[in-house]
Amino acid sequence: MVFVGVLFAGLGIGGGVGLAGDLRYSTRMSGTPGLLTIDECITTGTGKQRHTDCHGVFRSDDHQVTDQFAAIGESYKKGAVLPVQRDARGRCHLVGVAPTAGRLAGICACVVALVGGLASLCGAFATVMPRLGGRIGAALWSPKAGRMLSRLLQACGVGFAVFGVTGVIGWLAMP
């Protein structure tokens, strides 16, 4: 029970932080906006270590930055032109509805995993130390806290569904 709680809480926190960090690029709040024209895609590694990086020419929207060796970590057809945000390391991140909605759906799923992990930890703690666990449980699971948690999980479920469907539709419409 403790292992499951730590696992879910860790996945919820780690996944949420990672997705929230990339969200700033897909919403154009960080980086340099521009267009990436794909020149070539290279697949490296084997088995589970296999991944594809595409390289091309990045031109900023203000025509002040040009990078002949910009890269994006996905596979596209040669000649595809993508709206991206370029970070300080020269990596490009897709912008628009699909990547933003996908990340928001992932964040909603991470919140649910975090709450599930914390609930599992509370259950394990209450089982091992019933007297002290009962007091902690009474404080944490008061009717007001229970209603707030229920509403949070409902909002995350609706957000996951809405953002997930939006992300899939947007992904299907991408080049």
Side-chain angles (χ1 to χ4, degrees), residues 23 59 103 111 121-122 133 148 156:
L23 190 63
R59 286 190 177 79
R103 286 186 178 96
V111 169
L121 286 173
C122 287
M148 284 182 11
C156 285

Side-chain angles (χ1 to χ4, degrees), residues 83-175:
V84 296
Q85 288 286 106
R86 181 177 172 271
D87 63 18
R89 296 177 294 149
R91 297 290 299 177
C92 293
H93 305 270
L94 281 177
V95 297
V97 173
T100 301
R103 286 186 178 96
L104 289 172
I107 289 170
C108 288
C110 288
V111 169
V112 171
L114 173 63
V115 170
L118 292 177
S120 178
L121 286 173
C122 287
F125 188 70
T127 302
V128 173
M129 303 176 80
R131 190 174 206 184
L132 183 59
R135 289 186 203 155
I136 292 173
L140 290 176
W141 304 113
S142 67
K144 186 176 181 180
R147 282 192 300 275
M148 284 182 11
L149 184 61
S150 175
R151 289 183 182 137
L152 173 69
L153 291 176
Q154 288 173 354
C156 285
V158 169
F160 179 75
V162 169
F163 294 133
V165 168
T166 305
V168 168
I169 291 170
W171 178 74
L172 292 173
M174 291 178 64

